[in-house]
């Protein structure tokens, strides 16, 4: 990636936010690539994810789930701005952070991610996804319910055929060791306030489409991009849903392309 060494406008701080049932571990290929050209990178475990010690049964609201990210932002120097990157369900987490701390985000970049709008409640895009692609198609996924939410453990058949189908055998073995139960918190997100134009939409937003994604199909990604009014869009060819694992170098270049063009 030497072509970017000469063209970097500045060194940035990337904050990487994983999707449902995953953890900071899923960025293990991308993080050193960004760091090797001088960027600072923070990869966080959200509540009940990765090596975070909480259990999903004890995480009652989406805000509780995103608390490690919100606490991170609260700890930043008031003058620091970060490049905020969310993958899959992580798009919902970074949207909340953009609403809470718009002054600390230079740009929010959504990678094959759910991206909410301001006209509907945050749950809207999740509900639309389930209407189009029902839970009955989640193959061997384990689904249970507690008092406040649906809990899922994505099945290995589902993950191997729709999430990790272009990833290496080694990456899939890592997943088998580290996947955890999670929740989309649809019930809670259907009761919270809409995100605002004044805060959430004041932050520049970009989207990276994974063109071989079978977990969040391309046509649904394109619908969300239009629904949320996103103008900055890159398409990654040959990337499955786990683009940071199946195409890490290409993802790195795509992120740098967006940052170099749209972050002053």
């Amino acid at each position: 990636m030497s072509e970017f060494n000469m063209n970097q406008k500045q060194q940035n701080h990337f904050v990487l936010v994983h999707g449902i049932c995953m953890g900071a571990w899923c960025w293990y290929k991308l993080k050193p690539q960004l760091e090797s050209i001088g960027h600072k990178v923070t990869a966080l475990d959200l509540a009940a994810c990765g090596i975070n010690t909480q259990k999903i049964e004890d995480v009652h609201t989406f805000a509780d789930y995103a608390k490690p990210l919100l606490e991170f932002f609260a700890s930043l120097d008031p003058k620091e701005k970060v490049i905020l990157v969310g993958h899959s369900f992580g798009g919902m987490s970074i949207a909340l952070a953009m609403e809470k701390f718009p002054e600390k985000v230079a740009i929010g970049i959504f990678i094959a991610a759910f991206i909410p709008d301001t006209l509907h409640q945050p749950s809207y895009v999740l509900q639309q996804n389930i209407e189009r692609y029902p839970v009955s198609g989640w193959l061997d996924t384990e689904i249970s319910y507690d008092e406040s939410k649906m809990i899922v453990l994505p099945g290995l058949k589902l993950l191997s055929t729709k999430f990790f189908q272009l990833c290496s055998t080694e990456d899939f073995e890592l997943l088998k060791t580290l996947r955890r139960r999670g929740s989309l918190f649809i019930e809670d997100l259907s009761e919270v306030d809409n995100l605002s134009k004044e805060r959430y939409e004041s932050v520049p937003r970009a989207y990276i489409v994974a063109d071989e994604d079978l977990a969040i199909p391309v046509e649904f990604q394109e619908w969300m991009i239009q629904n949320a009014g996103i103008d900055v869009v890159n398409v990654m060819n040959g990337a499955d849903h786990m683009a940071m694992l199946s195409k890490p170098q290409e993802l790195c270049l795509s992120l740098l392309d967006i940052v170099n063009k749209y972050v002053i």
Side-chain angles (χ1 to χ4, degrees):
M1 292 183 292
S2 59
E3 65 266 32
F4 280 97
N5 293 340
M6 299 295 292
N7 297 325
Q8 288 297 309
K9 295 178 181 178
Q10 64 183 35
Q11 303 309 304
N12 292 291
H13 184 179
F14 286 81
V15 178
L16 309 178
V17 183
H18 61 80
I20 186 173
C21 306
M22 303 293 173
W25 62 267
C26 71
W27 303 104
Y28 84 94
K29 291 181 178 178
L30 180 66
K31 185 174 184 284
Q33 290 197 25
L34 290 168
E35 290 173 337
S36 71
I37 49 176
H39 295 293
K40 182 178 180 181
V41 182
T42 299
L44 294 163
D45 280 326
L46 299 181
C49 297
I51 60 172
N52 182 280
T53 56
Q54 286 183 279
K55 294 182 178 180
I56 194 65
E57 291 81 3
D58 300 323
V59 181
H60 301 296
T61 67
F62 179 73
D64 290 339
Y65 170 76
K67 187 176 179 181
L69 179 62
L70 301 180
E71 288 180 340
F72 166 81
F73 269 96
S75 72
L76 283 175
D77 185 287
K79 295 180 180 180
E80 183 174 5
K81 284 195 171 191
V82 304
I83 312 298
L84 185 55
V85 179
H87 171 252
S88 193
F89 187 59
M92 305 300 293
S93 300
I94 71 169
L96 177 61
M98 292 157 69
E99 175 73 21
K100 299 286 189 183
F101 301 96
E103 72 285 354
K104 294 185 179 181
V105 184
I107 189 169
I109 305 177
F110 296 74
I111 304 170
F114 290 109
I115 179 168
D117 59 51
T118 57
L119 296 177
H120 306 89
Q121 288 171 308
S123 61
Y124 176 67
V125 290
L126 304 172
Q127 291 166 329
Q128 287 294 307
N129 181 262
I130 289 177
E131 282 185 21
R132 299 186 194 197
Y133 314 103
V135 173
S136 59
W138 291 6
L139 301 178
D140 54 339
T141 295
E142 296 178 19
I143 300 174
S144 58
Y145 296 86
D146 66 11
E147 294 180 0
S148 62
K149 62 188 177 298
M150 178 174 72
I151 296 173
V152 299
L153 178 65
L156 294 179
K157 186 175 180 180
L158 174 74
L159 291 166
S160 65
T161 57
K162 294 192 176 183
F163 286 69
F164 283 72
Q165 79 271 16
L166 300 178
C167 294
S168 69
T169 302
E170 292 83 359
D171 287 336
F172 192 66
E173 284 298 318
L174 190 63
L175 162 76
K176 286 159 68 173
T177 303
L178 296 173
R179 69 180 171 137
R180 296 184 62 179
R181 297 182 185 276
S183 177
L184 294 172
F185 295 95
I186 293 177
E187 299 83 359
D188 180 61
L189 288 170
S190 68
E191 297 176 354
V192 299
D193 292 337
N194 292 17
L195 300 169
S196 68
K197 291 182 178 292
E198 296 76 20
R199 298 180 68 81
Y200 167 60
E201 281 196 356
S202 72
V203 180
R205 295 170 297 160
Y207 200 102
I208 298 176
V209 175
D211 80 335
E212 297 289 338
D213 193 341
L214 301 178
I216 303 179
V218 171
E219 60 267 22
F220 192 77
Q221 293 183 49
E222 292 172 342
W223 174 81
M224 288 190 293
I225 289 166
Q226 184 175 12
N227 179 64
I230 307 303
D231 297 322
V232 180
V233 181
N234 279 7
V235 177
M236 284 186 59
N237 296 320
D240 62 12
H241 186 64
M242 302 302 294
M244 71 286 284
L245 297 175
S246 61
K247 290 286 183 178
Q249 182 169 2
E250 291 83 352
L251 178 57
C252 185
L253 293 175
S254 187
L255 289 170
L256 294 173
D257 175 66
I258 291 170
V259 170
N260 285 337
K261 288 180 180 177
Y262 301 103
V263 178
I264 299 174

